[in-house]
Amino acid sequence: MASDRSGKRKPFVIYGYSLSTIAKPLLALAATWHFVLAARFLDRFGKGLRTSARDALIADSTDAEFRGKAFGFHRALDTVGQFLGRFLLFCFYITLTGITGRYSLSHSFQL
């Protein structure tokens, strides 16, 4: 792994998250499957770049007896972030569209 050889983990984490952040909006602009493929490749490359360096950074910064808790805490915060992001988007959607009542909500999502 490149971050092991260089001894620097933070730049790999930053570049990995940056690539993924750039790639997500590119999917919205995609007009052809080629563009989608390139954006997905960029996103997955960013994930591969950041994941192992991030895990090594967590492992390096915690004592051996607390590593399991550190990784569990990281995963828990990741899950909370995913939920809150979707929940806030849902609230934003309801605010913008002015949906009220069960029928309107189920109709808008075609349930």
Side-chain angles (χ1 to χ4, degrees), residues 35-96:
F35 205 74
V36 172
L37 181 67
R40 291 287 295 164
F41 176 79
L42 192 63
D43 180 44
R44 296 294 91 195
F45 185 76
K47 183 175 181 174
L49 193 61
R50 75 174 183 258
T51 302
S52 56
R54 183 198 60 216
D55 290 347
L57 191 62
I58 292 171
D60 289 346
S61 64
T62 57
D63 294 332
E65 62 190 66
F66 297 115
R67 280 198 188 125
K69 288 182 181 182
F71 281 104
F73 185 68
H74 173 266
R75 183 67 182 141
L77 287 182
D78 191 35
T79 304
V80 168
Q82 289 174 10
F83 172 77
L84 285 177
R86 290 181 177 138
F87 180 72
L88 290 174
L89 182 64
F90 178 71
C91 292
F92 184 66
Y93 175 76
I94 287 175
T95 302
L96 278 180

